[in-house]
Amino acid sequence: VFAVGAAASLVLLGTARDGFPLLHPALGIGGYPLFAVTFAGLIGWSLRSGSVASRVCGSGVLRMFGRYSYGLYVFHFALHRLLTDQVYNAVAAHTGSKLLPLLLSGLVTVLLSLGAAMLSFHYFESPILRLKRYFPNTGTRPTLRRDVEEANLQEAAGHEAA
């Protein structure tokens, strides 16, 4: 599902002339649902133990970004707005290039956003998360395996009653 969806998405995006505006009918009718199915396929593939997607999604780098993802979400846009033009203009003035300033401004924004997210996680979010010990969870924690086993038992009980 992922491979077919990714290929179809690339074909859709590759045939775009001057890009698709976000509200283009082709994106609303076919593009966004195609992207949703594609990424659902990626999630399903990553849930298969030992698959390439499982190993990639379980890598240390992606897990690190997952840990700090909320902080990245919170800080990246503000830092992007504050820094991109200044870094871009400063580098462009010295190099005369368009690509190098773009890459460096993006790198600076990513690194500072990650630093801010890490500081926020360790000094703000983690202390708050530690307060959970004062609010014990009395419910059981659902797992996919248990849900499947319960569904099988219910189905078996239904067959025996019939």
Side-chain angles (χ1 to χ4, degrees), residues 36-120:
V37 169
T38 300
F39 286 105
L42 177 61
I43 291 169
W45 186 27
S46 69
L47 291 174
R48 291 185 61 201
S49 181
S51 68
V52 172
S54 175
R55 289 192 304 273
V56 169
C57 291
S59 73
V61 172
L62 286 183
R63 291 174 60 94
M64 182 264 309
F65 276 103
R67 170 174 284 169
Y68 303 121
S69 63
Y70 180 73
L72 287 169
Y73 165 76
V74 169
F75 294 114
H76 86 278
F77 185 72
L79 289 170
H80 169 74
R81 297 292 289 177
L82 288 171
L83 298 172
T84 299
D85 288 341
Q86 288 80 3
V87 173
Y88 183 92
N89 292 336
V91 175
H94 295 296
T95 64
S97 171
K98 291 183 179 181
L99 179 61
L100 185 60
L102 183 65
L103 293 174
L104 285 178
S105 64
L107 180 64
V108 166
T109 301
V110 167
L111 291 176
L112 289 176
S113 297
L114 185 58
M118 292 170 93
L119 289 171
S120 172

Side-chain angles (χ1 to χ4, degrees), residues 121-137:
F121 181 82
H122 291 288
Y123 294 107
F124 181 70
E125 296 171 48
S126 289
I128 291 173
L129 290 172
R130 282 194 293 270
L131 295 175
K132 290 194 299 186
R133 69 177 175 231
Y134 298 112
F135 303 96
N137 183 357

